[in-house]
Amino acid sequence: MATKIRDIMTGSPTAVSPQDDIVSVARRMRDEDIGNVLVAEGDELRGIVTDRDLVVRGLAAGGDPGSTKVGGLCSDVTATVGPDDPPERAVEIMRERAVRRLPVIENGRPVGIVSIGDLAVEKEGSALADISAAKSNL
């Protein structure tokens, strides 16, 4: 069982600019086979945007795919964890904030993302662990 966030997080997170349009971000997610990216301006973390955000807050809200910027769609980062924090800390924050993923910050810079799925894989035998550990069907 993992004792630190660094043992279960997804490292080297993909970051995009708040000025990037939703089409280019969606293509990047497709090409990298990921469902979320960090939104950053220089070294400043502005938020997280998910594939669902692109659809619900962007396309379904009537946004023009070529001109709608992800900076207006992303969720603000309300909490983070450090790579040396215990996984239980991430669980606690996710429960309190009702979020499914947290940026992992070290020395003021994002070094990873930990998701509810990452944490679930650690809890062997649960249905969510089995689903999270399964190979992608894409």
Side-chain angles (χ1 to χ4, degrees), residues 91-137:
V91 170
E92 178 184 318
I93 293 170
M94 287 178 180
R95 277 191 188 128
E96 288 173 358
R97 308 280 177 133
V99 296
R100 296 174 180 263
R101 60 197 55 79
L102 292 169
V104 181
I105 305 295
E106 185 172 43
N107 299 322
R109 303 194 66 194
V111 294
I113 296 176
V114 64
S115 71
I116 195 168
D118 297 329
L119 294 164
V121 169
E122 287 300 299
K123 187 157 179 73
E124 292 181 29
S126 74
L128 186 54
D130 293 343
I131 293 166
S132 296
K135 184 179 175 190
S136 173
N137 63 356

Side-chain angles (χ1 to χ4, degrees), residues 11-81:
S12 302
T14 298
V16 298
S17 165
Q19 298 305 313
D20 287 348
D21 64 77
I22 61 176
V23 171
S24 64
V25 173
R27 286 181 179 144
R28 187 143 180 211
M29 287 179 174
R30 176 200 63 203
D31 294 347
E32 295 184 27
D33 193 25
I34 55 177
N36 61 79
V37 295
L38 299 178
V39 179
E41 205 158 20
D43 285 339
E44 183 183 347
L45 183 59
R46 295 266 319 269
I48 296 177
V49 69
T50 67
D51 46 7
R52 185 175 192 279
D53 293 332
L54 298 180
V55 173
V56 175
R57 295 181 184 170
L59 295 175
D64 175 29
S67 63
T68 301
K69 308 300 181 200
V70 295
L73 305 178
C74 66
S75 298
D76 293 335
V77 174
T78 60
T80 63
V81 290

